[in-house]
Amino acid sequence: MAESAIGVNWGTISSHRLKPSTVVNLLRDNKISKVKLFEAEHDVLKALMGSGIQVMVGIPNEMLSLLGSSSVAADFWVRQNVSAYMIKGGADIRYVAVGNEPFLSSYNGQFLNLVIPAITNIQQSLVKANLAGYVKIVVPCNADAYESSGGLPSQGVFRSELTQIMTQLVQFLNSNGSPFVVNIYPFLSLYDNGDFPGDYAFFQGTTHAVTDGSNVYTNAFDGNYDTLVSALGKLGYGQMPIVIGEIGWPSDGAVGANITAARVFNQGLVYHIASNKGTPLRPNVPPIDVYLFGLLDEGAKSTLPGNFERHWGIFSFDGQAKYSLNLGLGNKELKNARNVEYLPSRWCVANPLRDLTNVVNHMKIACSVADCTTLNYGGSCNEIGEKGNISYAFNSYYQLRMQDSQSCEFDGLGMVTFLDPSVGDCHFLVGVVDKGLNSSASQTIYQWWVL
């Protein structure tokens, strides 16, 4: 059996976008050979052409209804977003992810009946394009699609309202030689549940092992994975190959989300997968691929789940490694992005000579547009004091506006400085020269995602 491969999720909901060619070079320098995209973005797919990197390209949930109800729309989507890039020396598209966690319980079933029609139509379109033997359809599911009584992996079942649809889905995946893709987040178990044992989220062993018959679980990942294995088994597909579509640990924006925890979790995960020891229900059979979430921080993501949403990257927004990590792909450490073009080294801070009593509205406006999530409780800039908070908010806005001099006005409360105001672990960023997308396009994507 082929060894598991470590890939990454490349999300692009960012206010400061690196050029896609810079990101592709970053992937290649780090010997990352598999990438998962949430949308078919032309500039991203174009940059991946000829790179040798295997691609999973995504279809957003909002498109499922159209693609499921119109074979013409499905044909058009495949032609535009798959066939067009799979010419000789083109992009190596291996998977189309139809929807993203469409069965999430918080969606209250709104996408439930759209998935099977959409995968059916996209499959037929791939057949027409002579690509069905090479490009496989998957549906990334959140781990909330299954549950178990008493928290025992052997008791894993799909949620009752999903039984029928999951039976159809796994039959479809099985007949087309596709794996089951699941997103597993031990961090969220810890974040959402005050009683969750912290050490069980990691891979260093635990004082809270879960005993399930003769099997003992020492980490949340194995327990969660085997719950899925049991759920698949109850549908008669206990041997179905599994891909981890997303897994990771954020480095900022919440208690427990920090550089140390992110490094320990991701390194533990990589070593655990590389050991090939598998899990109690699948000994010596690790998942076929594991896509870390994520490659880069995404400063324009919705913070509804929590402020940590903008800090999942193993690299910061500008492609600089946040911590040392051996991905087991040949490099002992992460290599930083090369030739990143930054804006000049200047920052916008609170003017020390002005009375700042009326600053609250200015801060609110700045933070409603720019990313201020590190200022919140548990964030890396949480303890820099009131003046520091104001400066951080002002600067985030100023960099987002590409250092436009008017954007540091704030009715005379802001001023530009050439001295880096960063304090300890709290970094005041300098923006990058945005060549990836013009700002109006990135605004549109941002608007579209926060709807």
Side-chain angles (χ1 to χ4, degrees):
M1 171 165 161
E3 283 194 19
S4 302
I6 299 284
V8 291
N9 285 270
W10 175 3
T12 55
I13 310 171
S14 181
S15 357
H16 302 270
R17 283 191 54 166
L18 292 178
K19 283 186 285 196
S21 56
T22 303
V23 181
V24 170
N25 286 333
L26 174 67
L27 292 167
R28 294 178 76 172
D29 288 349
N30 285 285
K31 301 184 166 61
I32 296 168
S33 64
K34 290 174 188 263
V35 72
K36 180 168 165 279
L37 309 173
F38 292 92
E39 275 193 86
E41 291 181 62
H42 172 68
D43 57 343
V44 169
L45 285 164
K46 195 161 158 256
L48 283 162
M49 291 176 77
S51 67
I53 293 167
Q54 295 178 12
V55 182
M56 180 187 294
V57 64
I59 295 177
N61 294 331
E62 289 73 10
M63 291 180 72
L64 295 176
S65 175
L66 171 67
L67 296 172
S69 57
S70 162
S71 60
V72 174
D75 289 349
F76 181 74
W77 191 92
V78 166
R79 212 166 41 243
Q80 288 281 93
N81 302 305
V82 184
S83 308
Y85 299 99
M86 291 188 68
I87 50 180
K88 192 165 164 51
D92 187 7
I93 298 173
R94 297 292 182 99
Y95 294 110
V96 173
V98 180
N100 185 42
E101 303 187 331
F103 309 123
L104 207 55
S105 48
S106 57
Y107 289 147
N108 298 319
Q110 71 180 100
F111 302 115
L112 211 58
N113 299 319
L114 305 178
V115 174
I116 300 298
I119 59 176
T120 306
N121 278 356
I122 293 286
Q123 178 66 17
Q124 285 166 352
S125 302
L126 288 172
V127 170
K128 288 180 207 165
N130 285 328
L131 290 170
Y134 192 78
V135 181
K136 300 297 178 188
I137 288 179
V138 292
V139 178
C141 293
N142 185 283
D144 86 338
Y146 47 88
E147 57 204 4
S148 72
S149 58
L152 297 177
S154 62
Q155 303 303 304
V157 288
F158 287 106
R159 293 200 324 261
S160 55
E161 74 273 22
L162 295 180
T163 309
Q164 193 184 351
I165 200 124
M166 278 298 174
T167 305
Q168 290 175 278
L169 176 60
V170 294
Q171 281 169 349
F172 172 91
L173 297 172
N174 186 61
S175 62
N176 290 300
S178 295
F180 191 97
V181 176
V182 65
N183 301 340
I184 294 178
Y185 281 108
F187 168 78
L188 294 178
S189 307
L190 191 61
Y191 180 78
D192 293 334
N193 178 359
D195 299 327
F196 189 86
D199 59 0
Y200 188 62
F202 297 88
F203 296 91
Q204 266 73 19
T206 178
T207 49
H208 299 81
V210 170
T211 303
D212 183 3
S214 58
N215 293 327
V216 177
Y217 291 87
T218 58
N219 67 76
F221 172 77
D222 284 359
N224 194 313
Y225 188 89
D226 275 359
T227 306
L228 170 60
V229 171
S230 294
L232 288 168
K234 294 192 176 73
L235 299 183
Y237 293 90
Q239 300 308 310
M240 173 162 274
I242 295 172
V243 163
I244 307 299
E246 297 176 27
I247 186 167
W249 199 279
S251 63
D252 211 330
V255 176
N258 55 64
I259 296 285
T260 307
R263 185 183 59 76
V264 169
F265 179 84
N266 283 329
Q267 193 61 78
L269 171 73
V270 170
Y271 288 155
H272 181 58
I273 299 297
S275 73
N276 281 328
K277 64 175 181 239
T279 60
L281 292 186
R282 285 203 176 167
N284 311 316
V285 185
I288 49 178
D289 292 324
V290 176
Y291 293 88
L292 289 179
F293 193 84
L295 180 61
L296 302 160
D297 279 351
E298 296 177 82
K301 274 189 90 172
S302 162
T303 55
L304 275 176
N307 292 311
F308 54 81
E309 272 302 317
R310 296 178 175 177
H311 304 280
W312 288 101
I314 54 177
F315 294 92
S316 50
F317 75 96
D318 55 354
Q320 307 306 297
K322 294 185 192 172
Y323 43 84
S324 63
L325 183 63
N326 179 352
L327 292 174
L329 302 171
N331 296 343
K332 293 276 191 287
E333 304 252 317
L334 296 176
K335 296 192 170 182
N336 292 333
R338 293 178 282 124
N339 308 321
V340 176
E341 298 170 61
Y342 290 92
L343 296 170
S345 295
R346 52 181 182 227
W347 298 262
C348 178
V349 293
N351 187 331
L353 304 176
R354 296 297 298 267
D355 172 12
L356 297 170
T357 40
N358 297 321
V359 80
V360 174
N361 273 346
H362 292 295
M363 275 188 77
K364 270 194 185 142
I365 289 165
C367 291
S368 70
V369 185
D371 179 28
C372 299
T373 50
T374 57
L375 295 176
N376 297 323
Y377 181 64
S380 59
C381 299
N382 182 229
E383 295 178 349
I384 58 173
E386 195 180 358
K387 269 236 170 69
N389 288 347
I390 297 163
S391 293
Y392 188 91
F394 282 7
N395 183 62
S396 294
Y397 182 80
Y398 174 65
Q399 304 297 341
L400 184 71
R401 293 281 177 242
M402 305 302 281
Q403 299 187 356
D404 171 3
S405 56
Q406 309 241 279
S407 65
C408 188
E409 279 290 312
F410 299 105
D411 289 342
L413 300 181
M415 59 173 266
V416 173
T417 177
F418 296 91
L419 289 175
D420 186 348
S422 300
V423 193
D425 290 336
C426 175
H427 299 294
F428 280 62
L429 64 91
V430 171
V432 294
V433 180
D434 186 340
K435 296 272 177 60
L437 268 182
N438 62 39
S439 50
S440 64
S442 48
Q443 244 4 69
T444 323
I445 281 181
Y446 174 54
Q447 297 297 355
W448 190 82
W449 276 96
V450 288
L451 289 180

